[in-house]
Amino acid sequence: MAEPPVTFAGLLRKLRTEARLTQEELAEAAALSPRSVSDLERGIAATPRRETVRLLADALNLAGQARAEFEAVARGRPVPAGPDTDATALRTLPRDIASFTGRQRELAELVEAAADAGGVVGIHAIGGMAGVGKTAFAVHAAHRLADRFPGGQIFLPLHGHTPGQQPVDPADALASLLLTAGVPPAQIPPGLEARIALWRDRLAEKQLLLVLDDAASSEQVRPLLPGAGGSLVLVTSRRHLSALEDATAVSLDTLPPGEAAGLLVRLASRSGLSPDDPAAAEITALCGYLPLAIGMVARQLHHHPAWTTAGRAAELAAARDRLELMTTENLSVAAAFNLSYADLTPGQQRLFRRLGLHPGTDIDAYAAAALDGTDLAAARRGLEALYDQYLLTESAQGRYRLHDLIREHARALADHLDPDRDRDGATTRLLDYYQHAAARANTLIARQPHTSPAPAEADAVVPAVIPDLADSEQALAWARTERASLLACLDYATRTGQHARVIALTAGLAGLLRSDGPWADAITRHTAAIQAAGHLGDRLGQAHALTGLGDVRRPTGDYPAAVQALEQALGIYRDLGDRLGQANALNGLGVIRLTTGDYPTAARVLEQALGIYRDLGDQPGQANVLNNLGNVRQVTGDFPAAAQALEQALGIYRDLGTRLGQANALLSLGEVWRLIGDYPAAAQVLEQALDIYRDLGTRLGQAAALGSLGEVRRATGDYPAAAQALDQALGIFRDLGIRSDEATALNERGTLYRLSGDVTQAEECHQQALDLARAIASPWNEAYALAGLGRCALAAGHATQAEELLRQALEIFQRIGAAEVPDLLAELAALTGHEQPGSALGWVGGGSGEPGGCEDSGGRDRGGLVGASRGRFAAAGRPARRCRAGALERLPARGGSRPLPGWLWAGQDGDRGLHRPAGGRGELRPGLPPVRPVARQTGPAGR
């Protein structure tokens, strides 16, 4: 079918658009009425008067051949031939924008790519959401590159998203391009293929820069591309032009905060306003750093001198619909978004509106399926379609995000178009999905299950599909990925008074909150769940929340509050006859008693918990308690019993096929090897524990393993490696707010400083540890700090002060029943020259290398047992020593101790792994199962 000839109406519309003029602006420049221009462009006035044609040509700045062609088409005559007929392409780029800001990286990459094109047509598809500045970027880049393209620079709007206009047909676009390139209208062939051939022929020997603005699709662009030569094509579009062959994608994001503030200041043009102004930063943040929105607000400020920047920021912050405030004349941010929304199918529009109802920011296909009430495959297709239109960004594979302003637009559309029941149904389905998925994940993550679901768990509708989480690693990874969404849903349930939902979602988050913190937020969440349970009279839900509260109060060092919460939970569980709940609460109480130095009570309540777990046949619970009991045996110096309990725990963890418990057990066993002086074996299992913690992203475990490795390195005389490990551990403990372990790490660092000869730094570390230990009521750390300060005083020649400090440490160790007592008695005896009451035969002091002191297995003086070897990152003890006084090696029967770290208790499951590495020194106790080496596993199969 033949293409229609070029008309004056089409030519006028093309030239006006290229000049970036509205009909009103062209009419004003030509001293005509807007109605006249409109009639001419619509073909109503087919033969304009000569004077009208002249005025329009002047207003459009036409000259030479272009003016002659314009006048000829207006008269309906053949275009006269002339010397300019075969001239190179005209320079039709719109003016560059003086306020253009940022994008320097993208510009540099584009300029470099143009320089390296090597004679091949370069195609760059510039994409991004509405209002991000695609056209401004393309025009600015074209002006930067103009000198490299002597064949001309052409700007052609394709009107993919122009209100009231259909996208330009490729045949019409080619006609415009051929006219611009100097082809007379009468010589433009009628067919698409013929026009493509002529266009490419005209450009064969030219270097042309072509800007195709606002493309609707790859199909619209493909016929317009040059066929050969060193031309460059810049295409802007609101779609990902993924079908455009050989095109380099340039995806523009919103501006960085600093550049956004600079753009606001430049456009507002107000004296005294700078990018550092807090109000400027607030406005740009409320605009989502979107150039279009920033430009509109900036122009409002420019045209309203009476407005203050701070006042406008406050109005935007308080607005229920910010988009209503982002308008200038007949332009608005919402209208720009609506053009993209109009391109969607009805089903895609519905999904877009429902995504605006999500309380969080990120979403995946599972959540989208729940919101939209569709299956997983349909949800994935819908998300991909919205991503294709730049209505979503892909923050990670399979995870999508709405820009803040687009989310607000989607929510406004939902409020306006969807009935209340539809919106409420979508939100309910979403909360049901997160509730059930979180409950499944928590079952795999948490240290113990609960016997009965909270009421909301029983009432909620089971979603059609949830992720298939096979083990604790997958569950923890899922929970971490969805953390922000889960918390946002919990906040939404809290705001809307859904008490049962608050209880259930908090229970689903309990394992993640205990693993990752932050503790202050975790405390707030569990406290809210307790209050919600109180509103409903849900005692079981209250007990679960109290257990969670006790778990997260402990790492903060608030042991009395932790005990109170767990004892309240225990009482409720007993009233309800919930034995599993009782065991869980007893396990938590046992760990707190262990941490605070009440070892007899710790052993007693842990044995009670173990008995219940065994009665119930609960293997995870048994493994957790055995791990904790092993640590109690370590801190009291009974290493054979400690090893036996830890081996049993590790065996169960292996059978369960989890990894975190494996790491915890390996960490404790590493302490045993260290305490009997087998440093190579200790280092090996501690490194394996550290690898697992790193694989799982468990920072607490990493810190604990690093702390223990620091002690091993120190014991072998590798002070630099010890310092590095201890500093890393201390940094993590401080980041996470684990105050008890921070105190321990400070004490260990102080010991290392003293052994390295820096007594001043050693005193500072021990003093910090002492202050912290007293603040959180940690007696073991308090005694350790006092002993460390005593050794510093002795090293400085202050024997009297040293004796006093060591006696204070001894008093605390005696009160809590710590295994350090015999060693500290011996140390005091060596210092004073008098045997201390209660000192054990054969245990002799070793304060600072004096006769009678003890050496480690490498023959190095340890500078005082308590100060040199104490820590409590995983368990208790000291290395085996040979004492020059001829004492027997009695360490396997008892030894130095330290409490378990505040976080490391069998509250989390583990996996199979090493018992003892090759090269160990034999069995700890006759009758223990043999330990065998296992190669370190690094691949997926080993996880």
Side-chain angles (χ1 to χ4, degrees):
M1 183 175 179
E3 296 290 333
V6 176
T7 65
F8 180 74
L11 181 59
L12 177 61
R13 183 169 56 250
K14 166 188 169 295
L15 293 173
R16 176 183 62 78
T17 303
E18 290 177 353
R20 306 196 76 172
L21 297 172
T22 64
Q23 289 181 346
E24 292 80 3
E25 290 169 339
L26 178 59
E28 182 180 358
L32 300 171
S33 70
R35 176 66 179 271
S36 297
V37 174
S38 176
D39 288 348
L40 288 170
E41 288 194 358
R42 288 183 295 160
I44 294 176
T47 56
R49 293 182 301 163
R50 185 183 299 275
E51 179 63 15
T52 298
V53 174
R54 183 187 67 78
L55 291 171
L56 288 170
D58 289 343
L60 292 168
N61 295 317
L62 298 181
Q65 181 67 18
R67 189 180 186 102
E69 291 175 1
F70 184 73
E71 293 174 348
V73 172
R75 304 268 64 83
R77 298 172 182 170
V79 178
D84 292 331
T85 299
D86 294 323
T88 58
L90 300 176
R91 288 155 176 79
T92 65
L93 290 179
R95 66 181 180 86
D96 200 1
I97 298 175
S99 60
F100 186 86
T101 301
R103 311 293 190 198
Q104 295 308 306
R105 178 183 60 81
E106 293 89 344
L107 279 170
E109 291 175 354
L110 187 57
V111 170
E112 182 180 358
D116 296 339
V120 178
V121 176
I123 307 169
H124 295 265
I126 302 166
M129 64 181 286
V132 82
K134 300 178 291 296
T135 300
F137 173 79
V139 170
H140 186 72
H143 279 283
R144 287 272 299 271
L145 293 165
D147 292 343
R148 302 188 185 187
F149 296 93
Q153 308 91 41
I154 298 178
F155 181 91
L156 180 65
L158 297 179
H159 300 300
H161 299 86
T162 301
Q165 287 192 233
Q166 292 295 317
V168 175
D169 184 83
D172 292 338
L174 282 166
S176 295
L177 289 171
L178 289 167
L179 281 172
T180 304
V183 177
Q187 296 179 20
I188 296 176
L192 175 64
E193 294 301 324
R195 290 181 180 183
I196 292 173
L198 180 58
W199 170 241
R200 291 177 177 172
D201 178 70
R202 296 285 295 190
L203 298 185
E205 302 300 327
K206 291 186 171 72
Q207 287 182 302
L208 179 75
L209 195 160
L210 176 62
V211 179
L212 302 174
D213 186 51
D214 192 20
S217 65
S218 298
E219 289 72 19
Q220 185 189 32
V221 170
R222 197 175 289 113
L224 314 182
L225 300 175
S231 295
L232 176 67
V233 182
L234 306 181
V235 187
T236 71
S237 180
R238 294 190 188 187
R239 296 189 63 180
H240 287 272
L241 300 179
S242 54
L244 193 59
E245 298 86 351
D246 296 326
T248 300
V250 181
S251 291
L252 298 184
D253 200 352
T254 53
L255 292 173
E259 293 180 1
L263 178 62
L264 177 76
V265 170
R266 184 175 296 181
L267 292 174
S269 188
R270 286 193 166 201
S271 61
L273 182 61
S274 74
D276 297 328
D277 191 319
E282 185 176 2
I283 286 176
T284 54
L286 290 167
C287 290
Y289 306 111
L290 184 67
L292 177 63
I294 294 168
M296 289 184 177
V297 176
R299 282 185 282 275
Q300 291 171 355
L301 291 171
H302 179 69
H303 290 284
H304 291 273
W307 292 8
T308 66
T309 310
R312 196 54 174 167
E315 290 168 354
L316 287 169
R320 190 171 184 273
D321 185 356
R322 281 177 290 171
L323 295 177
E324 290 183 351
L325 302 182
M326 297 175 183
T327 61
T328 54
E329 296 188 22
N330 61 339
L331 300 176
S332 73
V333 175
F337 292 164
N338 271 330
L339 292 173
S340 296
Y341 176 78
D343 279 349
L344 304 176
T345 66
Q348 293 164 1
Q349 289 179 342
R350 185 190 65 242
L351 174 61
F352 175 72
R353 297 194 304 270
R354 288 179 174 174
L355 291 180
L357 303 175
H358 194 298
T361 56
D362 282 10
I363 195 165
D364 68 353
Y366 290 96
L371 263 175
D372 205 30
T374 57
D375 60 38
L376 195 60
R380 284 175 173 151
R381 289 193 300 270
L383 290 171
E384 185 61 27
L386 297 180
Y387 173 76
D388 185 60
Q389 294 282 355
Y390 277 102
L391 289 169
L392 295 176
T393 59
E394 192 172 22
S395 55
Q397 184 175 356
R399 298 198 64 79
Y400 300 90
R401 175 174 296 184
L402 289 165
H403 181 273
D404 287 349
L405 295 181
I406 290 183
R407 181 185 304 106
E408 194 166 307
H409 186 59
R411 189 178 295 121
L413 288 172
D415 290 342
H416 179 66
L417 298 175
D418 296 328
D420 290 347
R421 64 178 182 277
D422 288 355
R423 298 197 306 274
D424 292 343
T427 305
T428 298
R429 289 192 301 272
L430 180 74
L431 295 177
D432 286 346
Y433 159 71
Y434 278 121
Q435 181 178 309
H436 283 274
R440 169 61 181 160
N442 191 64
T443 299
L444 294 169
I445 297 169
R447 61 186 178 88
Q448 71 271 323
H450 292 309
T451 51
S452 304
E457 294 180 56
D459 296 341
V461 176
V462 178
V465 59
I466 63 174
D468 183 16
L469 305 175
D471 53 36
S472 61
E473 290 180 59
Q474 291 183 16
L476 188 59
W478 179 87
R480 284 172 172 162
T481 300
E482 296 289 356
R483 179 190 180 102
S485 293
L486 290 166
L487 291 175
C489 289
L490 178 54
D491 289 337
Y492 175 83
T494 303
R495 287 195 309 272
T496 54
Q498 301 182 48
H499 299 307
R501 187 83 75 180
V502 170
I503 299 168
L505 283 171
T506 305
L509 279 161
L512 178 67
L513 292 173
R514 181 172 51 247
S515 172
D516 291 3
W519 316 122
D521 184 48
I523 289 169
T524 300
R525 302 290 180 180
H526 286 296
T527 301
I530 293 168
Q531 295 169 349
H535 280 294
L536 296 178
D538 176 14
R539 299 196 71 206
L540 183 60
Q542 191 174 23
H544 293 343
L546 283 164
T547 302
L549 180 62
D551 290 348
V552 297
R553 279 202 180 277
R554 181 182 42 78
T556 68
D558 191 354
Y559 304 127
V563 169
Q564 182 182 24
L566 288 167
E567 287 182 341
Q568 289 180 20
L570 180 60
I572 296 173
Y573 286 133
R574 283 173 172 163
D575 290 345
L576 297 176
D578 186 336
R579 299 195 70 211
L580 182 55
Q582 295 173 44
N584 295 337
L586 286 167
N587 190 23
L589 285 167
V591 173
I592 295 176
R593 298 306 184 190
L594 169 60
T595 305
T596 57
D598 187 354
Y599 305 144
T601 302
R604 176 173 52 81
V605 296
L606 289 172
E607 290 285 0
Q608 291 178 32
L610 181 60
I612 297 174
Y613 284 131
R614 282 175 172 164
D615 288 345
L616 297 174
D618 187 316
Q619 284 198 311
Q622 293 175 51
N624 295 335
V625 175
L626 285 166
N627 207 22
N628 293 332
L629 277 170
N631 287 304
V632 172
R633 304 310 179 203
Q634 283 189 11
V635 298
T636 55
D638 190 350
F639 292 110
Q644 184 177 40
L646 292 168
E647 292 282 356
Q648 291 177 14
L650 185 56
I652 297 174
Y653 287 136
R654 293 172 61 195
D655 292 340
L656 293 173
T658 57
R659 297 188 76 207
L660 193 52
Q662 171 197 356
N664 293 345
L666 285 171
L667 187 58
S668 295
L669 284 170
E671 280 294 295
V672 173
W673 309 142
R674 184 185 70 83
L675 298 171
I676 65 171
D678 193 341
Y679 302 130
Q684 186 173 345
V685 293
L686 291 171
E687 290 282 4
Q688 291 187 8
L690 180 59
D691 286 346
I692 296 174
Y693 289 133
R694 284 174 170 161
D695 285 347
L696 299 178
T698 305
R699 297 189 71 209
L700 292 171
Q702 294 173 44
L706 286 165
S708 292
L709 278 168
E711 297 180 56
V712 172
R713 303 307 182 204
R714 186 194 61 215
T716 57
D718 189 353
Y719 292 169
Q724 182 180 22
L726 289 171
D727 286 342
Q728 290 179 38
L730 180 59
I732 296 174
F733 287 137
R734 282 175 168 164
D735 286 347
L736 298 177
I738 313 297
R739 303 175 74 197
S740 57
D741 291 328
E742 179 185 349
T744 299
L746 283 166
N747 273 325
E748 290 295 331
R749 197 65 180 90
T751 296
L752 185 60
Y753 274 126
R754 180 173 56 80
L755 293 175
S756 301
D758 192 342
V759 177
T760 301
Q761 286 282 2
E763 286 180 333
E764 183 177 339
C765 286
H766 287 306
Q767 187 61 54
Q768 289 180 39
L770 180 62
D771 295 341
L772 188 54
R774 286 173 172 169
I776 63 174
S778 175
W780 190 92
N781 271 310
E782 180 182 1
Y784 186 5
L786 287 166
L789 288 169
R791 290 186 181 80
C792 289
L794 186 61
H798 306 304
T800 302
Q801 181 185 4
E803 181 181 353
E804 175 59 27
L805 290 166
L806 289 172
R807 288 192 185 281
Q808 292 179 39
L810 176 63
E811 180 182 349
I812 297 173
F813 280 136
Q814 287 175 325
R815 173 165 51 83
I816 65 176
E820 281 83 1
V821 171
D823 303 317
L824 198 51
L825 286 168
E827 192 169 351
L828 279 166
L831 176 62
T832 62
H834 302 287
E835 184 174 342
Q836 302 298 305
S839 62
L841 180 64
W843 290 88
V844 293
S848 52
E850 297 183 7
C854 295
E855 300 172 349
D856 65 16
S857 57
R860 288 172 292 276
D861 171 61
R862 299 185 57 80
L865 181 62
V866 176
S869 65
R870 294 299 181 269
R872 63 172 186 80
F873 299 106
R878 66 165 188 275
R881 307 172 299 160
R882 63 173 184 270
C883 298
R884 283 174 289 215
L888 299 175
E889 282 199 15
R890 300 175 53 184
L891 190 59
R894 73 153 202 274
S897 65
R898 55 187 173 179
L900 185 69
W903 72 275
L904 180 58
W905 52 296
Q908 319 202 348
D909 296 334
D911 185 21
R912 67 186 66 200
L914 285 179
H915 281 221
R916 181 175 182 175
R921 298 188 176 185
E923 299 300 331
L924 288 174
R925 166 178 167 181
L928 285 179
V931 290
R932 62 181 184 274
V934 178
R936 189 160 100 185
Q937 300 168 352
T938 56
R943 297 178 183 175

